[in-house]
Amino acid sequence: MPNISVILPVYNAERYLSLAVTSILAQTYRDFECVIVNDGSTDGSEAILRKLAADDSRIKLISRPNKGFLPTLAEAIAASSAPLIARMDADDISRPDRFAKQVAYLEQHPEVVVLGGAYELIDSEGRRLRTMHQPLDHETLVRTCLQGTTPLCHPLTMIRRDALDRVGGYDASTFPAEDLDLWLRLSEVGRLACLPDVLLDYRLHSGSISETKQARQIEAMHAVVARASARLNKTVDFKAGDGWRSTGASGKLTQLLKYGWWAWNSGETQTARAYGWQAVRAKPIDIRAWKLLLTAWRKSAPRHVNAPTVEYKEHEHGS
């Protein structure tokens, strides 16, 4: 029996799939199986997966018609065997030492039932946008969850199977806030934790759930937190500014401005300029687009990273 079962759902992910799976196979910690469920992809994902599985016996490939994201997760978990479950998505990139660091921490902290870490936000072209450092301790992580933020990056988590079984796994009725719901239920049977190390490149693109289903996701998050607060006998105030994302601003320009200012604050001048040009082309009469472009073009990027004094808060709606 391997020590880790990597759970990787796939649906029409041919553009990034090889890079994602290869980043798993290249882990310095090698005692794992990789359970991949191809959820009825209609692009070239199946051919890519068959080749990868033929070259590495640690891949367990399941292909069948489309059923959706959560049924696919449940099927992959049921087909796995290890005591530790590592989540991964088909468009992200795991750093080579991710598993080694997570396993070492969990061995030293048996009370922790789910472990996350820091991660880098990248765009569809793989360009760096910003680094996300999450709270490390259980109490702050739970409080952050109850304030409408998901501090544990879902495809970066490593979960103890026995704890996942105790809480009944994923609840399909909470989609697309199933991760927030799971972290809160797991927090009632064990401890949550994050590592300070950057362990994943998390890709944002137009097909991301956070970009395509934002209003539905926030509504589901409200319901999840309301249920958890009732179980925990806590009062939660659902107001913007406490972590709850606003649904008021959306669309292509908002996304371009958000990504551009993230890149600027991270010292990625060329990426900020690229998003400035895209913003101007998207809406040439909008002063905010010109502000991003001219700032990125005329000034040197800040030496600090993610400085709140220069972050363009108007376009910060969460990741």
Side-chain angles (χ1 to χ4, degrees), residues 286-309:
D286 196 305
I287 189 64
R288 297 171 300 170
W290 285 103
K291 180 179 179 180
L292 170 61
L293 177 61
L294 294 175
T295 300
W297 194 261
R298 294 171 58 185
K299 299 180 181 179
S300 299
R303 294 181 181 178
H304 43 259
V305 176
N306 296 332
T309 55

Side-chain angles (χ1 to χ4, degrees), residues 149 217 244:
T149 298
Q217 189 174 53
W244 291 101

Side-chain angles (χ1 to χ4, degrees), residues 185-203:
R185 287 188 289 119
L186 284 170
S187 74
E188 297 170 30
V189 301
R191 308 283 287 181
L192 313 182
C194 277
L195 293 173
D197 313 74
V198 175
L199 302 177
L200 184 85
D201 292 334
Y202 183 91
R203 195 181 303 274

Side-chain angles (χ1 to χ4, degrees), residues 88 171 232 296:
M88 179 64 182
D171 182 348
L232 298 170

